[in-house]
Amino acid sequence: MNGSVLIAAGGTGGHISPGVALAEVLSEKTKHFGFESVYIHSLLRNQNNPDLINPPCQVLWHNIPQLGGFKTLIYPFLFIFPFLKTIIQFRKLKIEAVIGMGGYSSLPAILYAILFRKSLYLCEQNCVPGKITRIFSKFAKKIAFSFPIVEEFKIPGKIIGNPIRKRVIPEHLNIRQNENLHEGKKNTINVLVLGGSQGARQLNQMILKAMENSDISSKYKFRLLTGTNLYDETKKKASDETEIISYANDMKPNYEWANLVVARSGAGVIAECLVFGLPMILIPYPFAADNHQKANANYLEKEGAAVSIHSTSDDPTSLVKYLLTWKDHSEVLREMGHVSLALSNVNAAYQTISYFFTDPR
């Protein structure tokens, strides 16, 4: 296949990070997969996204408006002009294949592929397929899934794993950070708390309340990545023993430090925790589209790599119960870590690209 390949990765970090991971593979092996160039197509508001500041290939910026609210009736008029610009740009760059990572921002690239009969491929990160995947699956040549999708959706594709950026992949694929937990009851258990780039007040408050239990505070050491918006608020309420970080551009040292992760259940965070063999306490964001975070958490819990807390409050009761149970039975965390690592796929990015462009199935 001649021409160029384009990765439509625009909306949130959950779409951008795996898109960049695919771009890393294609940038190194462009000719191998039969292309001249590779591009990323992303929203203008993502210019400060850490994954796009030093991208592996050229980023084409666009400003397609989001559908919804009072704009619904006039959306076609708002959409048409930037879409025409997209068509002119893509034709000039000889875009012959489009990989859609999901979200409304991938719509212009997907429509271009359909209207001009270019090859379309889709990546679905979550157990509940997003609207883009559901609507355009019949136009795609192939679809790659990060996790098994829930049974009610009959969409053909291949389960490969969520593509992971090179800078996040661990140096050694083992779970050494948990292997020493069974050696004695005096070991400190390091807990990494992730609320996402914008933070999660619920998670921060739940952890701080749990630390009021003396048995927990004596056994567990917490590191909270609060998000920049919630850093000051959380710092004022936290004890001196709690490590508070607003944001980490390099997550690898944090994953290597941790024995346990408390987080939302977005596909990106889950995939990164899996490759580090980390057990998880997942607290799904209850207002995520189609409640997909709940489905992600349920899948990990069913497999035995995580437990989930389905709550909209900061009541720490369930969290405290888990932590007290594991306080003197850290072998449970070790076994969860083994399951976590077994579910991971550190080569998902390369395998996804290979599936799209070399696997004949």
Side-chain angles (χ1 to χ4, degrees):
M1 182 182 292
N2 296 318
S4 302
V5 57
L6 179 131
I7 301 168
T12 64
H15 300 303
I16 295 171
S17 293
V20 170
L22 296 182
E24 289 175 340
V25 172
L26 280 168
S27 295
E28 290 184 356
K29 299 181 179 293
T30 309
K31 298 293 189 296
H32 173 78
F33 288 107
F35 295 102
E36 298 174 4
S37 303
V38 57
Y39 300 96
I40 293 173
H41 197 230
S42 192
L43 286 168
L44 190 62
R45 63 177 171 83
N46 291 325
Q47 284 184 314
N48 293 323
N49 182 284
D51 289 323
L52 295 176
I53 292 177
N54 293 300
C57 63
Q58 183 180 350
V59 180
L60 309 177
W61 303 106
H62 69 95
N63 204 20
I64 292 291
Q66 185 171 3
L67 179 63
F70 72 93
K71 293 181 179 180
T72 302
L73 295 177
I74 61 172
Y75 186 81
F77 302 98
L78 298 175
F79 181 87
I80 190 66
F81 179 68
F83 181 53
L84 289 174
K85 289 177 61 178
T86 294
I87 291 174
I88 295 171
Q89 184 179 44
F90 285 9
R91 290 180 70 85
K92 182 178 179 181
L93 296 173
K94 301 179 181 178
I95 303 298
E96 293 295 329
V98 169
I99 301 175
M101 304 304 298
Y104 80 92
S105 65
S106 64
L107 185 58
I110 289 174
L111 289 179
Y112 174 84
I114 294 171
L115 291 174
F116 292 93
R117 298 190 178 187
K118 308 302 181 182
S119 298
L120 174 64
Y121 306 89
L122 298 177
C123 284
E124 176 54 56
Q125 289 84 46
N126 298 295
C127 292
V128 176
K131 290 181 180 179
I132 289 293
T133 300
R134 300 200 300 266
I135 294 171
F136 295 105
S137 60
K138 61 184 178 182
F139 298 100
K141 293 185 68 173
K142 295 178 183 178
I143 303 174
F145 297 110
S146 294
F147 306 114
I149 61 173
V150 294
E151 292 182 358
E152 64 185 272
F153 296 99
K154 308 298 182 182
I155 300 175
K158 185 176 181 179
I159 302 168
I160 298 176
N162 203 25
I164 300 172
R165 300 158 296 169
K166 285 185 177 181
R167 63 188 179 93
V168 181
I169 294 175
E171 299 291 337
H172 306 286
L173 299 180
N174 58 44
I175 51 174
R176 61 196 181 283
Q177 61 259 49
N178 280 346
E179 289 304 295
N180 65 346
L181 290 180
H182 68 290
E183 295 175 357
K185 295 182 180 180
K186 293 184 179 180
N187 299 80
T188 298
I189 299 175
N190 296 332
V191 183
L192 180 63
V193 183
L194 304 173
S197 59
Q198 301 302 312
R201 181 175 283 106
Q202 179 195 12
L203 270 63
N204 296 338
Q205 297 298 330
M206 191 181 290
I207 292 294
L208 296 179
K209 289 182 178 181
M211 290 181 64
E212 295 174 4
N213 184 297
S214 59
D215 288 334
I216 290 176
S217 61
S218 64
K219 179 66 176 181
Y220 295 89
K221 179 176 175 59
F222 294 89
R223 178 181 292 178
L224 277 69
L225 270 69
T226 64
T228 53
N229 295 335
L230 298 176
Y231 175 79
D232 291 335
E233 171 188 310
T234 309
K235 184 72 172 177
K236 291 177 182 177
K237 297 179 180 179
S239 65
D240 294 337
E241 291 78 24
T242 306
E243 189 175 356
I244 308 295
I245 301 173
S246 63
Y247 176 79
N249 193 37
D250 183 6
M251 282 300 299
K252 188 185 294 187
N254 293 297
Y255 288 129
E256 292 175 338
W257 171 87
N259 303 117
L260 172 66
V261 170
V262 179
R264 295 299 195 195
S265 47
V269 168
I270 288 175
E272 291 175 359
C273 288
L274 292 179
V275 298
F276 282 88
L278 288 166
M280 291 163 268
I281 298 177
L282 298 174
I283 307 173
Y285 180 58
F287 307 109
D290 301 311
N291 213 4
H292 69 263
Q293 288 206 8
K294 179 180 179 181
N296 293 348
N298 288 344
Y299 164 68
L300 269 293
E301 186 168 40
K302 180 182 178 182
E303 294 294 324
V307 297
S308 59
I309 298 174
H310 299 286
S311 172
T312 58
S313 76
D314 56 14
D315 180 359
T317 303
S318 296
L319 176 63
V320 168
K321 179 182 177 181
Y322 285 125
L323 295 178
L324 289 179
T325 299
W326 297 333
K327 182 173 71 71
D328 297 322
H329 296 280
S330 52
E331 70 276 3
V332 176
L333 294 178
R334 191 159 49 91
E335 292 306 313
M336 290 172 65
H338 281 284
V339 176
S340 184
L341 193 64
L343 293 175
S344 70
N345 185 359
V346 73
N347 295 314
Y350 181 82
Q351 290 177 12
T352 298
I353 294 300
S354 297
Y355 167 60
F356 284 164
F357 301 123
T358 62
D359 190 337
R361 289 175 293 172

